[in-house]
Amino acid sequence: MPLAVIDLAFDPVLRLSDTASVRYETIALAAVLLIGLLLAARIGSQTPAIGPYVPAPGLRVDDLVFIVFAAVPGAIVGGRLGTVLDHVDYYQANPGAIVDPTQGGLTLILAVPFGILTGAVIARLLGAPVGRWLHATALPLLFVLAAGKLIGVLGATGQGTPADLAWATAYVGPGPWGSLGADIPSHPAQVYEALLVALAIAGLLAASRLEVVARRDGAAMFVALGLWAVVRFVVAFTWRDPPLLGPLRAEQVLTLVVLAVAVVGLVERSRAPLQSPVDSRLDMDARLA
């Protein structure tokens, strides 16, 4: 038995009436997403480019709405693909379950980069400055990922492997809880990830002094993605998923792929010539006029 365990005894569901209820985790996540959007809009409106040409105005906040909506289907497809790759044996035997939303769920490791990709595609189609939007949304993205993981404590979502530690957490009561065996003292893996992503935010702020990031043409997003991938790789050693390749879980292997993409993207940004900071939307409006 552990010397001490943090017992969490509460009802994770807000009972609105006899027939209506909502999880506290859902309410908190909605609030975090709203704060993240407001933070992105704020940073975007104050994000000019840096260059030798005419200073660009801040980013158009209305573009952010379209970009966020465009990121959703990419995140869903990526999240589902990550789940399929994480449990490839099951889905090989049950291919029909791949498109069945009641079977399995979504994983973050591919949801995030796929969401970034589809959001960037729509930004390009809108004529919005993709690089500057990638810069403006890097910090809000890490904030949402950190706060979203911490919120998992409200529903026992993301509990790690059983542990005999003073800070192991166990959930008392019927739930419903987001992890199986929530009453077993376990690593609070969701808290580990939240704290480490918070450190990644500090790392991103420190990296903003680098020339390649300071030009605000998208390098910040690749730094954020790389730092987040490192965090996920480390914390995954405390997850309940079975090893796939030596000591590595399936999602850790995918994490290494995401990290490689982030490194390649950062290198590409460092080699890219400095672009004119004139907003491409203004260019397009001028041509149409």
Side-chain angles (χ1 to χ4, degrees), residues 170-227:
Y171 288 80
V172 180
W177 305 114
S179 297
L180 296 175
D183 59 328
I184 301 174
S186 303
H187 283 285
Q190 69 275 67
V191 178
Y192 297 163
E193 188 167 342
L195 294 176
L196 288 177
V197 175
L199 289 178
I201 292 175
L204 177 62
L205 293 175
S208 65
R209 299 183 179 183
L210 300 175
E211 188 274 336
V212 64
V213 178
R215 357 190 263 202
R216 302 170 184 169
D217 64 352
M221 181 59 77
F222 291 110
V223 172
L225 190 62
L227 291 172

Side-chain angles (χ1 to χ4, degrees), residues 37-280:
L37 287 173
L38 293 176
L39 183 59
R42 176 69 174 175
I43 295 175
S45 66
Q46 297 181 348
T47 301
I50 293 178
Y53 307 103
V54 179
L59 296 168
R60 295 169 59 104
V61 176
D62 55 331
D63 285 342
L64 177 62
V65 177
F66 292 101
I67 292 171
V68 169
F69 274 110
V72 171
I76 292 174
V77 171
R80 190 59 177 177
L81 178 60
T83 297
V84 171
L85 294 175
D86 202 8
H87 305 280
V88 65
D89 291 340
Y90 171 80
Y91 287 104
Q92 280 181 335
N94 303 275
I98 293 176
V99 294
D100 184 354
T102 65
Q103 297 291 323
L106 305 175
T107 61
L108 276 176
I109 194 58
L110 293 185
V112 170
F114 272 63
I116 294 171
L117 176 62
T118 54
V121 168
I122 293 303
R124 178 73 67 186
L125 293 176
L126 290 171
V130 178
R132 288 166 64 200
W133 269 120
L134 288 174
H135 177 90
T137 53
L139 189 148
L141 174 63
L142 287 183
F143 164 77
V144 169
L145 291 171
K149 276 296 175 179
L150 190 60
I151 285 169
V153 174
L154 296 177
T157 303
Q159 280 285 86
T161 54
D164 185 11
L165 298 168
W167 59 85
T169 53
Y171 288 80
V172 180
W177 305 114
S179 297
L180 296 175
D183 59 328
I184 301 174
S186 303
H187 283 285
Q190 69 275 67
V191 178
Y192 297 163
E193 188 167 342
L195 294 176
L196 288 177
V197 175
L199 289 178
I201 292 175
L204 177 62
L205 293 175
S208 65
R209 299 183 179 183
L210 300 175
E211 188 274 336
V212 64
V213 178
R215 357 190 263 202
R216 302 170 184 169
D217 64 352
M221 181 59 77
F222 291 110
V223 172
L225 190 62
L227 291 172
W228 175 68
V230 171
V231 168
R232 294 278 289 186
F233 183 85
V234 172
V235 176
F237 284 109
T238 68
W239 291 353
R240 297 180 179 181
D241 302 31
L244 174 69
L245 187 62
L248 302 182
R249 277 78 170 167
E251 190 157 341
Q252 285 177 298
V253 177
L254 295 176
T255 299
L256 293 176
V257 175
V258 173
L259 178 59
V261 170
V263 171
V264 170
L266 184 60
V267 171
E268 184 276 333
R269 286 292 80 200
S270 67
R271 293 178 177 177
L274 190 62
Q275 300 294 319
S276 167
V278 177
D279 194 316
S280 58

